[in-house]
Amino acid sequence: MPKTCSDPQRQTLHGPTMGTRWSVTCDMPAGTDTAALHAALAAAVDTVDTQMSPWKPDSDLNRINQAPCHTWVAVPQPLLEVLACALDISRLSRGAFDPGAGALVDAWGFGAARQAPDAQAIRAAAQAPRTPTHEALELDQAGARVRKHAPRQLDLCGIAKGYAVDCMATVLQAHGLAHALVALDGELRALGAQADGTPWAVALERPVPGLRAVQGVLALQDLAVATSGDYRHYLEVGGARLAHSMDTRRGAPVRNDVASVTVLARTCMQADAWATALLVAGVGEGLALAQRQALEALWLLRRGDALVEVGTGRFAPAAPAA
């Protein structure tokens, strides 16, 4: 049973992971063992990093990348769970979300292989035959194993952080806690509301490079949110901003008028992957996709010097008064 917060204490726990930091703001009952909780939270995110990091040569993800085609690779259950979700969203988004974008990510200097674009690597990655990743990768759920049917370099950076947030939420629940806000980079999940019943207030960042400003505020309760954009990690090429997100259908970084996409979902893993998919898809294709999947999503579009909002679900324009 969750611990009640008759005498709640607001605590914030945090630590490093995945080249950034995780944090948990929690209304805790008096007497909560915060040292044990901190250790369990750190272990949860470290497990995700160990299994799914493309930056760690010995990660389970890289064991798949290094394995020959048609060879089964045993993988831990968490990685199998994330791969299953990634392939499902890849199929539903018709490749806008692609967990097989690793070669392009590296070629453009956003991955572990290099720190700047490499023209030869870009040509090779863009011209490689493209079996859709959800067809190129086979999962054996019962046997906890994976095999490739075509060459593919997997990269789960568009979903693994969201999954790590969900893992931290599970840790909090296992410790009997029911009022927390979990964050890792731009991915957040509210576990319940605050102890006084007020939803957690989460700032929606204004997508301006080099500036921390607020576009709006979201009220979260038992809900996750993730944002993908072009304003934190990007390249300037010929005066154009090229986001770190890859559109493998074009064989190039995303290049459209979307500054950011924010998605609400029950799990942060889902919110994280769908935010990436809708950023890549752009507002035209993405709006139809979000409506088909009943997603709650907000696009911020660049229109000259202005930002224009387009959304679905709670972000849709209000109906005119009768």
Side-chain angles (χ1 to χ4, degrees):
M1 293 288 291
K3 297 177 181 177
T4 60
C5 280
S6 56
D7 185 22
Q9 299 175 343
R10 176 64 56 89
Q11 301 249 11
T12 300
L13 308 178
H14 54 85
T17 190
M18 303 181 191
T20 182
R21 297 189 69 81
W22 62 266
S23 70
V24 170
T25 301
C26 188
D27 290 335
M28 300 182 188
T32 300
D33 187 341
T34 55
L37 179 60
H38 187 283
L41 291 166
V45 293
D46 286 347
T47 294
V48 175
D49 195 26
T50 297
Q51 293 182 12
M52 306 180 201
S53 173
W55 301 81
K56 295 180 182 295
D58 57 350
S59 70
D60 295 290
L61 181 73
N62 277 328
R63 289 196 299 109
I64 301 172
N65 286 337
Q66 294 157 8
C69 290
H70 312 298
T71 300
W72 285 110
V73 179
V75 296
Q77 192 60 41
L79 176 54
L80 197 65
E81 180 182 351
V82 173
L83 285 172
C85 180
L87 296 182
D88 187 46
I89 294 177
S90 175
R91 176 180 58 81
L92 291 172
S93 68
R94 299 174 183 171
F97 178 78
D98 188 352
L104 271 173
V105 172
D106 277 349
W108 281 91
F110 292 113
R114 57 183 58 84
Q115 295 183 337
D118 180 282
Q120 184 175 353
I122 290 170
R123 283 193 298 272
Q127 294 170 5
R130 289 299 302 179
T131 303
T133 301
H134 59 270
E135 296 178 8
L137 197 67
E138 180 182 359
L139 308 185
D140 176 7
Q141 298 280 2
R145 57 183 187 167
V146 176
R147 66 176 170 182
K148 297 177 294 188
H149 293 294
R152 195 56 40 90
Q153 185 178 333
L154 301 175
D155 185 315
L156 297 177
C157 290
I159 191 171
K161 288 180 180 177
Y163 179 73
V165 169
D166 291 333
C167 290
M168 287 189 283
T170 298
V171 167
L172 292 167
Q173 291 170 322
H175 281 72
L177 301 173
H179 307 282
L181 183 65
V182 186
L184 201 171
D185 218 4
E187 287 67 56
L188 300 96
R189 178 171 167 177
L191 196 61
Q194 299 180 64
D196 64 3
T198 305
W200 296 95
V202 173
L204 177 62
E205 190 173 23
R206 189 170 181 82
V208 179
L211 177 68
R212 295 286 184 178
V214 175
Q215 177 75 17
V217 177
L218 302 174
L220 294 188
Q221 180 173 341
D222 287 319
L223 202 60
V225 61
T227 298
S228 291
D230 70 350
Y231 58 99
R232 288 285 171 245
H233 305 291
Y234 60 89
L235 291 171
E236 292 280 359
V237 178
R241 179 185 291 109
L242 301 181
H244 72 289
S245 298
M246 295 293 144
D247 185 350
T248 56
R249 302 169 304 177
R250 294 176 48 248
V254 172
R255 187 175 181 182
N256 55 32
D257 60 355
V258 179
S260 69
V261 182
T262 297
V263 173
L264 300 176
R266 287 298 168 188
T267 71
C268 205
M269 174 170 65
Q270 293 271 346
D272 193 8
W274 277 116
T276 301
L278 297 182
L279 173 70
V280 172
V283 71
E285 176 189 355
L287 190 60
L289 174 59
Q291 290 169 340
R292 284 199 307 272
Q293 299 302 320
L295 300 174
E296 294 194 285
L298 173 68
W299 285 261
L300 294 181
L301 309 177
R302 299 188 191 281
R303 295 287 191 265
D305 294 330
L307 290 170
V308 175
E309 296 187 0
V310 176
T312 59
R314 75 178 64 184
F315 299 114

PDB file of all heavy atoms in Angstrom, residues 22 37-48 171:
ATOM      1  N   TRP A  22      19.289  12.843 -13.562  1.00  0.00           N
ATOM      2  CA  TRP A  22      17.930  12.479 -13.194  1.00  0.00           C
ATOM      3  C   TRP A  22      17.573  13.196 -11.893  1.00  0.00           C
ATOM      4  O   TRP A  22      18.455  13.572 -11.116  1.00  0.00           O
ATOM      5  CB  TRP A  22      17.784  10.965 -13.008  1.00  0.00           C
ATOM      6  CG  TRP A  22      18.636  10.356 -11.911  1.00  0.00           C
ATOM      7  CD1 TRP A  22      19.881   9.793 -12.055  1.00  0.00           C
ATOM      8  CD2 TRP A  22      18.312  10.256 -10.505  1.00  0.00           C
ATOM      9  NE1 TRP A  22      20.352   9.345 -10.839  1.00  0.00           N
ATOM     10  CE2 TRP A  22      19.409   9.613  -9.870  1.00  0.00           C
ATOM     11  CE3 TRP A  22      17.219  10.640  -9.739  1.00  0.00           C
ATOM     12  CZ2 TRP A  22      19.431   9.355  -8.498  1.00  0.00           C
ATOM     13  CZ3 TRP A  22      17.238  10.383  -8.368  1.00  0.00           C
ATOM     14  CH2 TRP A  22      18.332   9.737  -7.762  1.00  0.00           C
ATOM     15  N   LEU A  37      16.378   4.784  -0.869  1.00  0.00           N
ATOM     16  CA  LEU A  37      15.609   5.175  -2.047  1.00  0.00           C
ATOM     17  C   LEU A  37      16.516   5.749  -3.120  1.00  0.00           C
ATOM     18  O   LEU A  37      16.393   5.401  -4.304  1.00  0.00           O
ATOM     19  CB  LEU A  37      14.552   6.199  -1.646  1.00  0.00           C
ATOM     20  CG  LEU A  37      13.671   6.737  -2.777  1.00  0.00           C
ATOM     21  CD1 LEU A  37      12.903   5.615  -3.451  1.00  0.00           C
ATOM     22  CD2 LEU A  37      12.710   7.807  -2.246  1.00  0.00           C
ATOM     23  N   HIS A  38      17.441   6.623  -2.731  1.00  0.00           N
ATOM     24  CA  HIS A  38      18.377   7.205  -3.696  1.00  0.00           C
ATOM     25  C   HIS A  38      19.185   6.109  -4.380  1.00  0.00           C
ATOM     26  O   HIS A  38      19.368   6.122  -5.605  1.00  0.00           O
ATOM     27  CB  HIS A  38      19.305   8.192  -2.997  1.00  0.00           C
ATOM     28  CG  HIS A  38      20.189   8.964  -3.927  1.00  0.00           C
ATOM     29  ND1 HIS A  38      21.323   8.418  -4.508  1.00  0.00           N
ATOM     30  CD2 HIS A  38      20.103  10.240  -4.406  1.00  0.00           C
ATOM     31  CE1 HIS A  38      21.899   9.326  -5.280  1.00  0.00           C
ATOM     32  NE2 HIS A  38      21.180  10.433  -5.239  1.00  0.00           N
ATOM     33  N   ALA A  39      19.661   5.145  -3.613  1.00  0.00           N
ATOM     34  CA  ALA A  39      20.461   4.051  -4.189  1.00  0.00           C
ATOM     35  C   ALA A  39      19.636   3.241  -5.186  1.00  0.00           C
ATOM     36  O   ALA A  39      20.139   2.849  -6.253  1.00  0.00           O
ATOM     37  CB  ALA A  39      20.982   3.157  -3.070  1.00  0.00           C
ATOM     38  N   ALA A  40      18.374   2.980  -4.853  1.00  0.00           N
ATOM     39  CA  ALA A  40      17.527   2.195  -5.752  1.00  0.00           C
ATOM     40  C   ALA A  40      17.219   2.959  -7.039  1.00  0.00           C
ATOM     41  O   ALA A  40      17.186   2.377  -8.132  1.00  0.00           O
ATOM     42  CB  ALA A  40      16.232   1.818  -5.036  1.00  0.00           C
ATOM     43  N   LEU A  41      16.989   4.260  -6.922  1.00  0.00           N
ATOM     44  CA  LEU A  41      16.737   5.079  -8.116  1.00  0.00           C
ATOM     45  C   LEU A  41      17.970   5.122  -9.015  1.00  0.00           C
ATOM     46  O   LEU A  41      17.875   4.981 -10.240  1.00  0.00           O
ATOM     47  CB  LEU A  41      16.333   6.491  -7.700  1.00  0.00           C
ATOM     48  CG  LEU A  41      14.969   6.631  -7.022  1.00  0.00           C
ATOM     49  CD1 LEU A  41      14.839   7.998  -6.356  1.00  0.00           C
ATOM     50  CD2 LEU A  41      13.838   6.431  -8.034  1.00  0.00           C
ATOM     51  N   ALA A  42      19.137   5.333  -8.412  1.00  0.00           N
ATOM     52  CA  ALA A  42      20.385   5.375  -9.187  1.00  0.00           C
ATOM     53  C   ALA A  42      20.635   4.036  -9.874  1.00  0.00           C
ATOM     54  O   ALA A  42      21.060   3.988 -11.042  1.00  0.00           O
ATOM     55  CB  ALA A  42      21.548   5.742  -8.278  1.00  0.00           C
ATOM     56  N   ALA A  43      20.351   2.941  -9.171  1.00  0.00           N
ATOM     57  CA  ALA A  43      20.556   1.610  -9.762  1.00  0.00           C
ATOM     58  C   ALA A  43      19.613   1.398 -10.950  1.00  0.00           C
ATOM     59  O   ALA A  43      19.997   0.792 -11.962  1.00  0.00           O
ATOM     60  CB  ALA A  43      20.332   0.539  -8.706  1.00  0.00           C
ATOM     61  N   ALA A  44      18.393   1.903 -10.844  1.00  0.00           N
ATOM     62  CA  ALA A  44      17.428   1.724 -11.931  1.00  0.00           C
ATOM     63  C   ALA A  44      17.891   2.420 -13.203  1.00  0.00           C
ATOM     64  O   ALA A  44      17.846   1.837 -14.299  1.00  0.00           O
ATOM     65  CB  ALA A  44      16.061   2.251 -11.495  1.00  0.00           C
ATOM     66  N   VAL A  45      18.324   3.680 -13.093  1.00  0.00           N
ATOM     67  CA  VAL A  45      18.755   4.393 -14.294  1.00  0.00           C
ATOM     68  C   VAL A  45      20.078   3.842 -14.814  1.00  0.00           C
ATOM     69  O   VAL A  45      20.305   3.787 -16.033  1.00  0.00           O
ATOM     70  CB  VAL A  45      18.849   5.921 -14.059  1.00  0.00           C
ATOM     71  CG1 VAL A  45      17.473   6.506 -13.822  1.00  0.00           C
ATOM     72  CG2 VAL A  45      19.778   6.271 -12.919  1.00  0.00           C
ATOM     73  N   ASP A  46      20.956   3.396 -13.914  1.00  0.00           N
ATOM     74  CA  ASP A  46      22.230   2.825 -14.347  1.00  0.00           C
ATOM     75  C   ASP A  46      22.009   1.523 -15.110  1.00  0.00           C
ATOM     76  O   ASP A  46      22.744   1.215 -16.062  1.00  0.00           O
ATOM     77  CB  ASP A  46      23.148   2.595 -13.152  1.00  0.00           C
ATOM     78  CG  ASP A  46      23.740   3.886 -12.605  1.00  0.00           C
ATOM     79  OD1 ASP A  46      23.632   4.928 -13.299  1.00  0.00           O
ATOM     80  OD2 ASP A  46      24.292   3.870 -11.491  1.00  0.00           O
ATOM     81  N   THR A  47      20.996   0.744 -14.710  1.00  0.00           N
ATOM     82  CA  THR A  47      20.683  -0.493 -15.428  1.00  0.00           C
ATOM     83  C   THR A  47      20.254  -0.190 -16.858  1.00  0.00           C
ATOM     84  O   THR A  47      20.686  -0.850 -17.811  1.00  0.00           O
ATOM     85  CB  THR A  47      19.581  -1.268 -14.697  1.00  0.00           C
ATOM     86  OG1 THR A  47      20.076  -1.701 -13.425  1.00  0.00           O
ATOM     87  CG2 THR A  47      19.145  -2.492 -15.492  1.00  0.00           C
ATOM     88  N   VAL A  48      19.407   0.820 -17.019  1.00  0.00           N
ATOM     89  CA  VAL A  48      18.978   1.205 -18.364  1.00  0.00           C
ATOM     90  C   VAL A  48      20.176   1.650 -19.192  1.00  0.00           C
ATOM     91  O   VAL A  48      20.332   1.255 -20.359  1.00  0.00           O
ATOM     92  CB  VAL A  48      17.914   2.318 -18.300  1.00  0.00           C
ATOM     93  CG1 VAL A  48      17.544   2.802 -19.703  1.00  0.00           C
ATOM     94  CG2 VAL A  48      16.665   1.817 -17.576  1.00  0.00           C
ATOM     95  N   VAL A 171      10.268   2.211  -9.011  1.00  0.00           N
ATOM     96  CA  VAL A 171      11.022   2.157  -7.759  1.00  0.00           C
ATOM     97  C   VAL A 171      10.276   2.905  -6.657  1.00  0.00           C
ATOM     98  O   VAL A 171      10.142   2.428  -5.523  1.00  0.00           O
ATOM     99  CB  VAL A 171      12.438   2.748  -7.953  1.00  0.00           C
ATOM    100  CG1 VAL A 171      13.117   2.997  -6.597  1.00  0.00           C
ATOM    101  CG2 VAL A 171      13.286   1.816  -8.803  1.00  0.00           C
TER     102      VAL A 171
END
